Amino acid sequence: MKEPITYTKAFEELQAIVAEIEQGEISVDELSAKVKRASELIKVCKEKLTNTEEDVNKILKELDAEG
Amino acid sequence: MKEPITYTKAFEELQAIVAEIEQGEISVDELSAKVKRASELIKVCKEKLTNTEEDVNKILKELDAEG
Amino acid sequence: MKEPITYTKAFEELQAIVAEIEQGEISVDELSAKVKRASELIKVCKEKLTNTEEDVNKILKELDAEG
Amino acid sequence: MKEPITYTKAFEELQAIVAEIEQGEISVDELSAKVKRASELIKVCKEKLTNTEEDVNKILKELDAEG
Amino acid sequence: MKEPITYTKAFEELQAIVAEIEQGEISVDELSAKVKRASELIKVCKEKLTNTEEDVNKILKELDAEG
Amino acid sequence: MKEPITYTKAFEELQAIVAEIEQGEISVDELSAKVKRASELIKVCKEKLTNTEEDVNKILKELDAEG
Amino acid sequence: MSELIRDKTVFTLTEVAKSIQKTIADRYTSAFWIKAEMNKLNYYSHSGHCYPELVEKVNGRVVAQMRSTLWSDDYININNRFLKMLNEPLKDGIKILFQARIKYDAQYGLSLHITDIDPSFTLGDLEKEKQETIERLKKEGVFDLNKKAVLSLLPQRLAIISVETSKGYADFMEVIEKNPFGYKFFHMLFPAILQGENAIDSINYQLSRIEKVKSHFDVVAIIRGGGGDVGLSCYNNYAMAKTIALFPLPVVTGIGHATNETVAEMISFQNAITPTKIAEFLIQKFHNFAVPVSEAKQQIIQEARQQLLDANSLLQSEAKLFKHITIGMIQRNKNLVNTHTRSMIQDAGYVFRSERNKLSTARQTVLKDATNQLQRAKQETGNLHQTFVRGSKTFLAAGNISLQSLEKNIEIMNPVHVLKRGYSISLLNGKAIRSTGELNENDLITTTLFDGTFESTVKKILPQQS
């Protein structure tokens, strides 16, 4: 599931889950699954952020090297 | 009986029993059985809450560790 | 007679006797028997109450123990 | 004759005899017998009352003792 | 003759005699005899009354004594 | 992709990317690709500043040929 | 004089010419001020004389034409004044206001002998020509065309119209070639005359050449410099200006002079006072390109990092919020469950207490009411007992009283009491004698007294007389 989801989608879904929980739209029964999903999403987001940061740094290092 | 019942159902039934007891709608004859049932429901609810809480804490701990 | 009678039935019968006695509908001849019956019913009820209370307390103690 | 007669019957008969005597509906010839009867009835009634009272007290004392 | 006559009969006869005498229907010849008879009847009645009174008093005394 | 793009297009695209990034119109998902693209474009542009491929002889030949 | 030939009066050509000369000399005794266009100056350098060709045009068509002469001394004098006032020499194609005499020569025909030319008229006319050029270009809608031409983002390839040996060209190349930024230009010189009448054709020619190879160039630079300010009116020329205006590449001009801006400069893509300025303009274009490119790097680095930082902090705050509300929700539910548990314990306890109370009340009621009832029954029984005793006694007393009353009555009626008072009862045959009529003499009667009887015989009967 990690591959196809985008950071944007993942973050939006995370926000949606948080909003649902905040507005009491989730029952305790669903909470565990939602928490799991949220955790996956957070991981996906972090991973994507880290990867992107590495990519960007690498590119910029190259750019600097070339002058 | 623990497996199939949801937290929501359990909590609603618990509320109903508590309300019945509060409003004196339960006879002494039924009381023991009702309290037993309520106690089971409370256990179910607590268990579910505890499990969810553990899940959440675990996930968030992982997240903190990673982040 | 103790086994089959319910608390509710016993209490209702007790109330009926009390009402009869209160309204003077019982003759002196019956009085002793009625008082005896009432006393039996009170015993039955008390016993049931005590048993129920013990049950309930046991259940609740278990509940507390489990947290 | 003591066993079968009830307090109620006894009291009624007593009332009737007393009324007869009061209203002079009795001859001197009968008086002695009537007085005898009345006296018996009074004894019966008093005895029954006393017994009943003792019974009731005993029953209730037992009840109290049992708690 | 004493035994069989009742107080009531005696008293009635006595009354009848008094009535006859009062209405002057009795000859002087009979008068004495009637008076004699009346006298006898009075004696009978007194005796009966006294006996009855004694009986009654005895009975009532017994009653009081008993309670 | 380096070959066909003109420095003008490169410059425009670069500026567009800068504007997008500045206005936060680029998602994290696109960021890496955009930065990479920007880096390529920067290379193209910088190269252009210090290089030109025109050849006087070729131009003179063209001038002579036609006129 | 004239002769007659076959009835006709015939003059010789000389006679006619002399007649015309005389007539003109008589008619035009003084000099005139005339205005005309000097189509050609026709300066002859070895003699120093000029034979200007004068015309008048209406709507471009020649309606009058005349030859003229301007002698060397006059020419030098007038030309100096022109140069001084117009920065232009006397030249072809200008309008002039001149003083002239009409002269007829038999050999050369009619001509005007120019003695003076007013440079201020020509100045006005040149200015007028400039204005006309501007208006015409505007009217044709081409005035702004070169300004609207698109200059390459990097005007890197330069077609230079200049003179290789000129100072302007050298200045320009110095700046372009030795720029400290390492900007690389490609340039190619298209040599041309840059001032005077010939400049128009020369420049137009080179422009036409450049146009052929325009794809190799980004910009055309017309660079002049060091040649003084003379002969620049060519840049007001309509033909040249139009060529520049219509030129497909942007044309930048660095003509370098202190006089008024020429039309060519006005309509050029960019005009600079000096060639150096043109070079700087081009360098500036490079800057305009280079600076954003190198800034872009910084901006992208900064923004990308900032965005990642922002995203990271947003993510973390979302994660924190998520944790907070999730735990809050669990806590809330725990509290609810606990509340219900406590409530149930309390309520169950209440049920027990309440039921116990009810039972206790029932017991008390039973005790109280049973006792009361017994008490009441005792009372009733006691009352009845008393009534019974009293009734019995009353009954007996009543029996006594009635018996005594009867006894008293009987006692009263007992004849003994009458007899005691002296009365007696006499009986005849056992019957009380109530009347004397019942008696017969000698009847034996029995008389009763209170204390006994006696017997006697009737002796005499005495009935009562009433």
Side-chain angles (χ1 to χ4, degrees):
Chain A
M1 214 162 166
K2 281 180 187 173
E3 252 30 61
I5 202 167
T6 64
Y7 179 89
T8 307
K9 291 274 176 203
F11 191 72
E12 279 170 5
E13 192 179 340
L14 177 63
Q15 279 183 313
I17 290 172
V18 171
E20 279 182 310
I21 295 173
E22 219 172 8
Q23 285 156 33
E25 286 168 4
I26 285 177
S27 73
V28 170
D29 300 296
E30 297 163 296
L31 193 59
S32 191
K34 287 282 178 182
V35 166
K36 193 159 188 302
R37 179 66 182 152
S39 124
E40 282 169 13
L41 294 170
I42 291 171
K43 270 187 220 158
V44 165
C45 286
K46 284 222 163 180
E47 216 173 288
K48 289 213 180 254
L49 279 181
T50 306
N51 290 344
T52 304
E53 201 167 12
E54 280 168 10
D55 282 2
V56 168
N57 283 337
K58 201 177 128 206
I59 292 160
L60 296 175
K61 209 167 278 174
E62 278 172 31
L63 206 59
D64 278 347
E66 285 172 24
Chain B
M1 212 159 168
K2 280 178 187 173
E3 251 32 60
I5 202 167
T6 64
Y7 175 90
T8 307
K9 292 275 175 202
F11 188 74
E12 281 170 4
E13 192 180 339
L14 176 63
Q15 273 184 314
I17 290 173
V18 170
E20 280 182 312
I21 293 175
E22 214 175 12
Q23 285 155 34
E25 286 170 3
I26 287 177
S27 73
V28 172
D29 301 296
E30 298 163 297
L31 193 60
S32 171
K34 286 282 181 182
V35 169
K36 195 165 190 309
R37 176 68 181 150
S39 129
E40 281 168 13
L41 295 169
I42 289 168
K43 272 186 219 158
V44 166
C45 287
K46 286 202 170 179
E47 212 174 290
K48 287 202 184 263
L49 285 173
T50 305
N51 289 344
T52 306
E53 195 171 23
E54 279 168 10
D55 283 358
V56 171
N57 285 337
K58 198 178 131 208
I59 288 160
L60 296 174
K61 206 168 280 173
E62 275 173 33
L63 210 59
D64 281 347
E66 284 172 23
Chain C
M1 215 164 161
K2 282 177 187 173
E3 252 31 61
I5 202 167
T6 64
Y7 180 91
T8 307
K9 292 273 176 202
F11 191 76
E12 280 170 5
E13 191 180 340
L14 177 62
Q15 277 184 310
I17 291 171
V18 170
E20 280 182 312
I21 292 176
E22 255 182 338
Q23 286 156 33
E25 287 170 1
I26 289 174
S27 73
V28 171
D29 302 295
E30 297 164 296
L31 195 59
S32 166
K34 287 283 181 183
V35 169
K36 197 164 188 303
R37 179 66 181 152
S39 136
E40 279 169 13
L41 293 169
I42 289 171
K43 267 190 226 158
V44 166
C45 287
K46 283 203 172 181
E47 216 172 287
K48 287 205 181 261
L49 269 183
T50 305
N51 290 344
T52 305
E53 198 168 17
E54 278 167 11
D55 281 1
V56 168
N57 284 338
K58 202 177 129 208
I59 291 161
L60 297 177
K61 208 167 278 171
E62 276 172 32
L63 205 60
D64 277 350
E66 285 173 25
Chain D
M1 224 171 152
K2 282 179 186 170
E3 253 32 63
I5 202 164
T6 65
Y7 173 88
T8 309
K9 292 275 177 202
F11 189 78
E12 280 169 7
E13 192 180 338
L14 180 61
Q15 273 184 313
I17 291 171
V18 172
E20 281 179 315
I21 292 171
E22 257 189 330
Q23 286 155 33
E25 288 170 0
I26 283 175
S27 73
V28 172
D29 303 297
E30 295 164 299
L31 187 63
S32 182
K34 287 283 180 184
V35 166
K36 201 165 186 298
R37 178 68 183 151
S39 140
E40 281 168 13
L41 292 170
I42 287 170
K43 273 188 217 157
V44 166
C45 284
K46 289 204 170 180
E47 212 173 289
K48 287 208 180 262
L49 282 175
T50 305
N51 289 344
T52 304
E53 198 169 19
E54 279 169 9
D55 281 1
V56 168
N57 284 336
K58 199 178 132 207
I59 290 160
L60 295 175
K61 208 168 277 172
E62 275 172 31
L63 201 60
D64 283 348
E66 284 173 23
Chain E
M1 233 177 140
K2 281 178 189 172
E3 257 22 72
I5 201 165
T6 65
Y7 178 91
T8 308
K9 292 277 180 198
F11 193 76
E12 278 170 5
E13 194 181 338
L14 195 56
Q15 277 183 311
I17 291 168
V18 172
E20 274 180 314
I21 294 171
E22 267 182 341
Q23 284 157 32
E25 284 171 4
I26 289 176
S27 67
V28 175
D29 314 312
E30 289 167 303
L31 191 59
S32 274
K34 289 284 179 183
V35 168
K36 198 169 177 240
R37 176 69 184 152
S39 209
E40 279 169 14
L41 289 169
I42 284 170
K43 218 193 269 170
V44 167
C45 282
K46 280 201 171 179
E47 213 174 290
K48 285 206 181 267
L49 257 186
T50 305
N51 288 346
T52 304
E53 206 165 10
E54 278 169 10
D55 280 0
V56 167
N57 281 339
K58 198 179 137 207
I59 289 161
L60 293 179
K61 209 168 277 170
E62 275 172 30
L63 203 58
D64 279 348
E66 283 174 23
Chain F
M1 221 167 161
K2 282 180 188 173
E3 259 21 72
I5 200 165
T6 66
Y7 78 93
T8 308
K9 292 274 178 203
F11 185 77
E12 282 168 6
E13 193 179 336
L14 180 62
Q15 279 185 315
I17 290 173
V18 170
E20 278 182 309
I21 284 185
E22 269 185 331
Q23 285 157 34
E25 286 170 2
I26 290 176
S27 72
V28 170
D29 299 295
E30 299 163 299
L31 197 60
S32 167
K34 285 283 179 180
V35 169
K36 195 166 191 308
R37 179 67 181 154
S39 128
E40 284 167 11
L41 295 170
I42 288 170
K43 273 185 219 160
V44 168
C45 288
K46 288 210 164 179
E47 224 170 278
K48 182 65 186 175
L49 279 171
T50 53
N51 269 322
T52 173
E53 284 161 4
E54 291 299 338
D55 181 3
V56 176
N57 289 330
K58 200 178 147 205
I59 297 169
L60 289 175
K61 210 170 277 174
E62 271 180 46
L63 275 174
D64 286 345
E66 284 175 34
Chain G
M1 284 287 117
S2 60
E3 52 184 325
L4 279 169
I5 300 173
R6 294 180 202 170
D7 297 337
K8 288 171 181 152
T9 305
V10 176
F11 299 95
T12 66
L13 196 59
T14 307
E15 284 169 343
V16 174
K18 279 188 176 165
S19 171
I20 293 168
Q21 194 170 35
K22 189 178 181 295
T23 305
I24 287 170
D26 290 349
R27 176 67 183 84
Y28 304 105
T29 54
S30 58
F32 304 89
W33 282 98
I34 303 161
K35 60 175 183 178
E37 188 177 331
M38 185 163 72
N39 204 22
K40 288 276 199 285
L41 177 61
N42 291 333
Y43 169 71
Y44 288 83
S45 54
H46 70 275
S47 68
H49 302 310
C50 302
Y51 302 96
E53 187 184 305
L54 302 170
V55 295
E56 184 177 346
K57 290 178 185 170
V58 174
N59 298 328
R61 208 163 55 84
V62 175
V63 295
Q65 189 169 11
M66 220 169 271
R67 285 182 291 110
S68 64
T69 55
L70 175 62
W71 306 132
S72 177
D73 290 348
D74 291 335
Y75 168 70
I76 289 166
N77 189 18
I78 290 165
N79 196 41
N80 281 341
R81 283 195 284 135
F82 261 71
L83 283 171
K84 202 170 180 184
M85 192 180 279
L86 275 67
N87 282 322
E88 287 286 335
L90 271 179
K91 56 174 184 178
D92 297 348
I94 58 173
K95 291 219 173 90
I96 51 173
L97 177 64
F98 58 96
Q99 195 175 40
R101 289 174 179 277
I102 296 173
K103 214 179 91 182
Y104 184 79
D105 183 270
Q107 200 172 345
Y108 299 109
L110 191 72
S111 70
L112 295 171
H113 174 216
I114 298 168
T115 54
D116 195 8
I117 301 176
D118 182 356
S120 62
F121 177 83
T122 305
L123 178 65
D125 183 62
L126 281 178
E127 194 53 43
K128 200 175 151 210
E129 186 197 356
K130 180 179 169 185
Q131 290 308 321
E132 276 168 5
T133 301
I134 291 169
E135 271 160 37
R136 205 166 153 195
L137 290 173
K138 283 186 174 169
K139 207 177 200 173
E140 289 170 15
V142 300
F143 188 82
D144 284 336
L145 275 190
N146 199 255
K147 286 197 186 302
K148 288 175 184 166
V150 177
L151 182 64
S152 299
L153 210 51
L154 281 183
Q156 196 172 36
R157 301 167 303 166
L158 317 175
I160 302 170
I161 295 176
S162 191
V163 175
E164 190 163 16
T165 55
S166 70
K167 187 176 179 295
Y169 180 68
D171 289 348
F172 179 78
M173 290 315 293
E174 170 86 8
V175 177
I176 289 293
E177 292 283 273
K178 297 188 176 167
N179 78 78
F181 314 103
Y183 300 151
K184 176 90 174 183
F185 290 90
F186 167 79
H187 50 84
M188 189 166 163
L189 181 65
F190 292 83
I193 296 165
L194 294 168
Q195 60 203 76
E197 284 306 290
N198 293 332
I200 295 167
D201 289 341
S202 179
I203 289 173
N204 274 351
Y205 168 68
Q206 289 297 19
L207 283 173
S208 72
R209 289 184 75 218
I210 294 167
E211 192 167 359
K212 277 190 198 165
V213 291
K214 64 185 177 191
S215 68
H216 297 283
F217 295 100
D218 298 311
V219 66
V220 176
I222 300 175
I223 293 164
R224 196 198 70 103
D229 288 351
V230 175
L232 299 184
S233 69
C234 59
Y235 293 108
N236 290 326
N237 177 268
Y238 167 74
M240 190 207 278
K242 189 173 181 182
T243 307
I244 291 172
L246 290 173
F247 203 73
L249 293 174
V251 177
V252 295
T253 48
I255 292 167
H257 58 92
T259 54
N260 286 343
E261 198 179 34
T262 63
V263 176
E265 289 168 309
M266 281 179 200
I267 55 102
S268 71
F269 181 83
Q270 175 74 27
N271 178 45
I273 295 163
T274 64
T276 307
K277 294 275 181 210
I278 282 286
E280 284 167 359
F281 166 77
L282 295 173
I283 297 273
Q284 185 58 48
K285 289 290 169 194
F286 269 61
H287 282 332
N288 290 351
F289 183 87
V291 170
V293 168
S294 85
E295 275 175 3
K297 196 180 106 181
Q298 290 308 318
Q299 281 167 319
I300 286 168
I301 292 174
Q302 207 180 337
E303 291 296 335
R305 290 202 170 129
Q306 190 58 50
Q307 193 170 345
L308 287 170
L309 278 179
D310 289 351
N312 202 41
S313 85
L314 204 60
L315 182 63
Q316 267 173 7
S317 76
E318 199 68 22
K320 207 182 267 175
L321 179 61
F322 166 68
K323 178 180 177 174
H324 181 73
I325 60 170
T326 307
I327 285 174
M329 177 177 163
I330 291 167
Q331 208 49 53
R332 220 168 30 252
N333 276 286
K334 274 185 171 176
N335 288 343
L336 272 176
V337 170
N338 284 337
T339 304
H340 279 90
T341 307
R342 273 198 305 276
S343 169
M344 186 182 69
I345 292 172
Q346 239 168 41
D347 292 339
Y350 174 78
V351 168
F352 294 128
R353 275 197 305 282
S354 143
E355 290 301 318
R356 285 224 157 79
N357 281 341
K358 281 193 216 165
L359 289 176
S360 160
T361 304
R363 195 199 72 86
Q364 276 170 10
T365 308
V366 169
L367 176 63
K368 193 182 79 206
D369 290 338
T371 307
N372 281 348
Q373 192 170 348
L374 287 171
Q375 221 50 54
R376 228 172 20 250
K378 271 186 179 173
Q379 192 71 42
E380 280 173 357
T381 309
N383 287 346
L384 208 52
H385 184 172
Q386 278 171 16
T387 308
F388 161 64
V389 172
R390 207 177 46 243
S392 301
K393 287 189 173 157
T394 306
F395 183 89
L396 286 169
N400 268 325
I401 286 165
S402 56
L403 198 59
Q404 274 167 17
S405 135
L406 280 174
E407 193 179 5
K408 211 188 244 167
N409 281 349
I410 302 261
E411 196 56 32
I412 288 165
M413 284 170 206
N414 197 338
V416 172
H417 299 296
V418 180
L419 297 176
K420 266 187 181 168
R421 275 183 270 162
Y423 296 94
S424 60
I425 301 165
S426 298
L427 305 171
L428 177 66
N429 299 325
K431 278 191 170 176
I433 305 158
R434 296 169 188 249
S435 171
T436 53
E438 293 169 16
L439 286 172
N440 294 311
E441 287 183 5
N442 298 316
D443 286 348
L444 184 69
I445 58 170
T446 305
T447 302
T448 301
L449 296 178
F450 94 96
D451 55 356
T453 58
F454 64 90
E455 287 181 354
S456 52
T457 311
V458 176
K459 288 182 167 167
K460 200 179 172 183
I461 299 166
L462 302 169
Q464 194 169 352
Q465 314 251 309
S466 51

